[in-house]
Amino acid sequence: MFDPSPPPPEDGCPFCEISASFPPYDPQSPPPTVTAANRSAPAPATFVVLSTPDIVAFLDIMPLSAGHLLVCPRSHRPKLTDATPAEARALGEQVRMLSAAVARATGVHDWNVVQNNGAAAAQVVPHLHYHIIPRPEIRAAGKLSSSFTMFGRGQREELDDDEGEALAAAVRKSVAEILKEDSELTKFKAKL
């Protein structure tokens, strides 16, 4: 198949490394933990929440909030316009489902979906990816002077490994539940 995208940068693409290190699994029956298939696993630690033949999703290592996910195609695609139509459809389908899974796993039911194209648009890693960013309600918690970090402004902290593993497991469990619910709903609608 013809691949319209340029190859990954010579110094390597961290998202291509993640894609190559974590093989697909059945998201309806996820493993309790997801480990790299090779010994040279990406550093820092990667917490995969979805790994299909076309898409890989994982927790951001510098999250804006708990549950901040990155969703990207396995193939190196620098920008959204470099994705094939099939990849774009798969990304849209998974962003919808992962948004629901993150909301369920974190209990935060408001979120942003962000996708940047190019350095001038704040894209740091030149590999197409969507951010799913839970937006906890800070005003209701009495934090009237707090602000929410967005688009690279403010403080971000590294993801704690133990918290990352527990959160990734919770999201994988939610993914399996949502996929089952979606399947049952599709079967029900087919009977109507």
Side-chain angles (χ1 to χ4, degrees):
M1 179 174 108
F2 172 72
D3 185 346
S5 296
E10 285 188 26
D11 59 350
C13 170
F15 294 174
C16 287
E17 186 179 340
I18 290 168
S19 292
S21 298
F22 294 89
Y25 61 82
D26 178 1
Q28 292 184 354
S29 197
T33 60
V34 177
T35 56
N38 57 42
R39 292 188 181 177
S40 59
T46 303
F47 302 100
V48 173
V49 299
L50 179 72
S51 186
T52 72
D54 300 316
I55 305 294
V56 64
F58 45 94
L59 294 173
D60 192 306
I61 61 169
M62 295 290 289
L64 292 167
S65 64
H68 181 166
L69 294 184
L70 303 178
V71 185
C72 64
R74 282 191 177 276
S75 298
H76 186 77
R77 305 285 185 246
K79 297 180 179 180
L80 180 58
T81 51
D82 297 316
T84 66
E87 288 167 333
R89 281 189 297 275
L91 282 163
E93 184 177 304
Q94 300 301 359
V95 165
R96 181 204 68 85
M97 186 271 301
L98 286 164
S99 293
V102 168
R104 186 175 291 186
T106 63
V108 177
H109 297 280
D110 295 318
W111 67 92
N112 292 102
V113 174
V114 179
Q115 199 277 316
N116 305 319
N117 292 280
Q123 183 181 16
V124 176
V125 177
H127 185 127
L128 164 61
H129 59 285
Y130 285 84
H131 295 258
I132 298 173
I133 308 166
R135 293 292 302 261
E137 178 53 69
I138 57 176
R139 293 174 301 238
K143 300 177 183 177
L144 301 176
S145 63
S146 295
S147 64
F148 191 84
T149 304
M150 189 57 120
F151 304 117
R153 296 185 200 110
Q155 298 294 318
R156 294 173 77 165
E157 295 182 17
E158 284 188 32
L159 180 64
D160 176 80
D161 286 356
D162 292 336
E163 290 173 12
E165 188 55 52
L167 184 53
V171 173
R172 285 191 300 273
K173 179 178 183 273
S174 293
V175 163
E177 292 169 355
I178 289 165
L179 289 173
K180 180 180 179 187
E181 292 164 9
D182 285 352
S183 176
E184 290 170 356
L185 182 60
T186 301
K187 288 176 187 174
F188 175 76
K189 285 183 176 181
K191 290 180 182 180
L192 294 180

